[in-house]
């Protein structure tokens, strides 16, 4: 009692216990109640702090902080209520209550300001409804995705990081003969015989990160038979774990078709070789009887001219001319058949040198026709010199021969850089060609003029096309009737790869 009086006399206030007449029952009822409330008020902010730290994704973080501070201060006021039962520090208690009031009002203001947003938060029932809709949409999306995957023509397989099969679409079922339920969870080696599986394992670990292209593998069906397949593998992650998806296509029919194509190509090649050999031998062997016909027709015309009448001499002339035409055709045919035999002999060819040879060979024709021939600088290329000379000679000779009467031939040999090719052109001022016949002039024995008008076997442009194509280029023409024609051909800059 003396201590209490001393405390009261010290600051002019009396302890709050005087209000309870220091009755132990009432006193301890308030002490224990305030203590329990304070403990709860201190525990709630700790729980809020833990909650906020675990759920940083939640909105309205400041509300939780202010609410925690408000509850913490309320706990302090209850502890002071116990303290002032014996110690009348009412001024300090008032400041604590004032701070509690400020935090409380700030919390109230913030709650009022955020109320419109808080009211928009979905209720648990709404969340359940939305979750149900999302689950339904997910199932529908999954079903649609599965329907798409199951209806693609190629097989689609996914495996996990342990090489266990996780998905197996309908195309795979048809391809391998297994139902999806029979292979899900089983190792991928079930579908790949050795050594394909070992190669697949090495491919996944070594090459997949840098090369996701298709490769040919062997697959094994449920009945044990194997088949050829194209396989493309790509990696992806699910929940931090590496998975692999594979797109597989049965190429058995494609391989069979390719084998059949190669077999047919070989037959055609063999047949073409036989035809070329026959043409070469036939044309070679035909020259001797033609030479005999031509020689004896000339002997008869010389030795028996006085014994023949005009009709006889005319008929004999026709025989000689026909034999000469046949001789020229046989020689051109022999040349045409010889091209493939010469195609393997390739080397550096200076087209300027070959053009000089052409002009020398055509000296008489050029002199008779008074043709003017000009040319651009020509490159050095890789090819067959004899064939390229023949190519330019045929084109220039045609440019000189196919002229309208009394028109002097003007021929220009041009050259342009066309990227990976040289584009050579032979331009003339001759008769020109109708558009309807442009594509036909490169066919063997195709002539647009009579023998009497312009002599020739009809193989010259066919020989040109074969030479150009054997060098990896192409040949074409543009023309305007009565104005002239330009023949173009391309030759690769790089050496021809055999």
């Amino acid at each position: 009692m003396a201590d209490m009086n001393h405390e009261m006399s010290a600051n002019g206030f009396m302890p709050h216990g005087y209000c309870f007449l220091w009755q132990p029952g009432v006193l301890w009822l308030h002490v224990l109640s305030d203590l329990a409330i304070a403990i709860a008020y201190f525990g709630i902010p700790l729980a809020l702090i833990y909650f906020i730290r675990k759920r940083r994704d939640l909105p309205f973080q400041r509300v939780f902080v202010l609410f925690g501070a408000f509850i913490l201060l309320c706990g302090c006021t209850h502890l002071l209520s116990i303290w002032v039962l014996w110690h009348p520090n009412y001024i300090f208690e008032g400041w604590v209550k004032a701070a509690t009031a400020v935090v409380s009002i700030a919390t109230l203001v913030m709650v009022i300001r955020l109320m419109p947003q808080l009211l928009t938060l979905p209720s648990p029932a709404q969340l359940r409804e939305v979750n149900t809709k999302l689950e339904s949409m997910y199932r529908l999306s999954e079903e649609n995705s599965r329907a798409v995957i199951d209806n693609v023509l190629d097989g689609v397989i996914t495996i996990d990081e342990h090489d266990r099969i996780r998905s197996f679409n309908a195309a795979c079922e048809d391809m391998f003969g297994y139902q999806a339920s029979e292979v899900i969870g089983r190792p991928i080696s079930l579908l790949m015989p050795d050594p394909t599986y070992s190669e697949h394992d090495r491919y996944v670990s070594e090459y997949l990160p840098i090369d996701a292209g298709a490769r040919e593998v062997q697959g094994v069906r449920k009945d044990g038979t194997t088949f050829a397949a194209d396989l493309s593998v790509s990696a992806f992650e699910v929940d931090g774990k590496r998975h692999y998806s594979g797109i597989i296509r049965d190429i058995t029919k494609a391989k069979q078709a390719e084998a059949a194509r190669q077999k047919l190509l070989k037959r055609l090649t063999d047949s073409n070789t036989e035809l070329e050999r026959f043409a070469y031998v036939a044309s070679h062997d035909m020259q001797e009887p033609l030479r005999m016909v031509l020689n004896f027709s000339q002997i008869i015309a010389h030795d028996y001219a006085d014994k023949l009448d005009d009709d006889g001499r005319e008929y004999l002339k026709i025989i000689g001319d026909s034999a000469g035409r046949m001789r020229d055709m046989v020689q051109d045919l022999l040349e045409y058949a010889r091209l493939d035999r010469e195609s393997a002999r390739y080397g550096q060819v200076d087209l300027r040198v070959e053009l000089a040879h052409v002009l020398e060979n055509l000296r008489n024709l050029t002199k008779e026709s008074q043709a003017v021939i000009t040319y651009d600088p020509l490159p050095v290329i890789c090819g067959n010199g004899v064939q390229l000379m023949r190519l330019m000679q045929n084109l220039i000779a045609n440019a000189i021969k196919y002229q309208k009467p009394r028109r002097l031939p003007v021929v220009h040999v041009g050259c342009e850089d066309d990227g990976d090719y040289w584009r050579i052109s032979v331009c003339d001022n001759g008769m020109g060609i109708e558009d309807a016949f442009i594509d036909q002039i490169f066919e063997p024995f195709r002539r647009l003029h009579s023998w009497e008008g312009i002599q020739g076997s009809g193989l010259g442009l066919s020989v040109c096309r074969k030479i150009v194509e054997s060098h990896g280029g192409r040949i074409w023409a543009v023309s305007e009737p009565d104005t002239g024609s330009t023949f173009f051909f391309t030759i690769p800059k790089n050496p021809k790869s055999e």
Side-chain angles (χ1 to χ4, degrees), residues 290 293-294 297-298 317-331 451 455:
L290 281 173
V293 171
L294 188 59
S297 64
Q298 292 173 350
K317 183 178 182 301
I318 293 174
I319 291 174
D321 291 344
S322 297
R325 288 173 55 188
M326 179 62 73
R327 178 197 59 194
D328 293 341
M329 291 179 66
V330 168
Q331 288 177 348
W451 173 271
Q455 295 184 359

Side-chain angles (χ1 to χ4, degrees), residues 26-92:
V26 177
L27 194 66
W28 287 107
L29 175 64
H30 282 269
V31 169
L32 294 176
S33 297
D34 284 327
L35 182 62
I37 293 172
I39 291 172
Y41 278 5
F42 285 134
I44 291 174
L46 293 176
L48 286 175
I49 292 172
Y50 177 80
F51 179 73
I52 292 172
R53 294 189 61 172
K54 292 295 183 181
R55 291 298 306 273
R56 297 184 182 274
D57 58 312
L58 290 176
F60 314 120
Q61 295 279 334
R62 288 180 295 173
V63 173
F64 287 102
V65 173
L66 283 175
F67 192 61
F70 160 67
I71 295 176
L72 185 64
L73 288 171
C74 288
C76 291
T77 60
H78 283 277
L79 285 180
L80 286 174
S81 294
I82 297 174
W83 177 260
V84 297
L85 287 175
W86 287 278
H87 307 282
N89 300 112
Y90 298 121
I91 296 175
F92 178 69

Side-chain angles (χ1 to χ4, degrees), residues 43 46 69 71 91 128 135 177 244 265 292 305 426-427 439 471:
L46 293 176
I71 295 176
I91 296 175
R128 284 193 298 270
E135 289 177 351
Y244 303 93
L265 182 61
M292 296 294 290
V426 177
C427 179
D439 294 332
H471 282 75

Side-chain angles (χ1 to χ4, degrees), residues 193-267:
D194 278 331
T196 295
Y197 177 68
S198 301
E199 294 173 356
H200 165 77
D201 208 23
R202 184 168 59 90
Y203 169 77
V204 167
S205 61
E206 296 181 9
Y207 300 111
L208 182 58
I210 58 174
D211 179 15
R215 59 197 182 94
E216 185 176 329
V217 299
Q218 289 290 314
V220 58
R221 298 186 178 92
K222 185 177 181 179
D223 60 9
T225 59
T226 59
F227 63 95
D230 268 345
L231 175 65
S232 298
V233 180
S234 58
F236 63 96
E237 289 191 0
V238 176
D239 296 332
K241 295 183 178 179
R242 197 168 182 82
H243 289 66
Y244 303 93
S245 66
I247 299 177
I248 188 166
R249 176 180 298 175
D250 188 342
I251 58 172
T252 302
K253 292 183 178 179
K255 297 272 288 184
Q256 293 172 347
E258 176 62 20
R261 190 184 73 84
Q262 291 295 334
K263 185 176 180 180
L264 177 60
L265 182 61
K266 185 178 185 304
R267 288 176 56 191

Side-chain angles (χ1 to χ4, degrees), residues 35 105 114 155 163 202 299 395 410 463:
L35 182 62
I105 292 172
L114 294 176
D163 283 354
R202 184 168 59 90
I299 292 173
L395 293 177
V410 177
V463 170

Side-chain angles (χ1 to χ4, degrees), residues 201-422:
D201 208 23
R202 184 168 59 90
Y203 169 77
V204 167
S205 61
E206 296 181 9
Y207 300 111
L208 182 58
I210 58 174
D211 179 15
R215 59 197 182 94
E216 185 176 329
V217 299
Q218 289 290 314
V220 58
R221 298 186 178 92
K222 185 177 181 179
D223 60 9
T225 59
T226 59
F227 63 95
D230 268 345
L231 175 65
S232 298
V233 180
S234 58
F236 63 96
E237 289 191 0
V238 176
D239 296 332
K241 295 183 178 179
R242 197 168 182 82
H243 289 66
Y244 303 93
S245 66
I247 299 177
I248 188 166
R249 176 180 298 175
D250 188 342
I251 58 172
T252 302
K253 292 183 178 179
K255 297 272 288 184
Q256 293 172 347
E258 176 62 20
R261 190 184 73 84
Q262 291 295 334
K263 185 176 180 180
L264 177 60
L265 182 61
K266 185 178 185 304
R267 288 176 56 191
L268 291 174
T269 303
D270 293 343
S271 176
N272 189 52
T273 302
E274 290 297 325
L275 286 174
E276 290 175 351
R277 185 179 297 113
F278 171 78
Y280 181 81
V281 172
S283 58
H284 183 273
D285 293 345
M286 287 171 63
Q287 289 189 90
E288 182 60 28
L290 281 173
R291 186 163 43 248
M292 296 294 290
V293 171
L294 188 59
N295 288 342
F296 277 99
S297 64
Q298 292 173 350
I299 292 173
I300 292 173
H302 182 268
D303 294 346
Y304 297 91
D306 56 343
K307 298 180 180 180
L308 297 173
D309 57 13
D310 292 340
D311 288 341
R313 285 189 291 272
E314 178 65 23
Y315 296 153
L316 192 59
K317 183 178 182 301
I318 293 174
I319 291 174
D321 291 344
S322 297
R325 288 173 55 188
M326 179 62 73
R327 178 197 59 194
D328 293 341
M329 291 179 66
V330 168
Q331 288 177 348
D332 286 346
L333 182 61
L334 185 62
E335 177 185 1
Y336 187 79
R338 192 184 293 124
L339 288 176
D340 287 328
R341 299 170 182 265
E342 298 174 349
S343 60
R345 297 192 291 271
Y346 279 76
Q348 293 296 314
V349 178
D350 190 338
L351 291 183
R352 293 172 297 181
V353 174
E354 300 304 329
L355 179 60
H357 294 159
V358 169
L359 297 179
E360 180 64 27
N361 294 341
L362 297 177
R363 177 191 296 272
N364 291 336
L365 179 62
T366 303
K367 185 176 181 179
E368 291 174 3
S369 63
Q370 297 182 354
V372 177
I373 302 176
T374 58
Y375 49 88
D376 293 339
L378 298 176
V380 176
I381 64 172
C382 182
N384 183 291
V386 174
Q387 291 185 5
L388 292 171
M389 181 188 70
R390 190 178 303 154
L391 167 64
M392 291 190 292
Q393 183 167 312
N394 285 352
L395 293 177
I396 294 174
N398 283 352
I400 296 174
K401 288 192 300 182
Y402 288 89
Q403 282 288 338
K404 295 180 71 67
R406 295 181 299 279
R407 179 187 290 178
L408 296 181
V410 177
V411 182
H412 179 72
V413 180
C415 179
E416 293 184 25
D417 189 330
D418 195 14
D420 294 333
Y421 295 83
W422 292 110

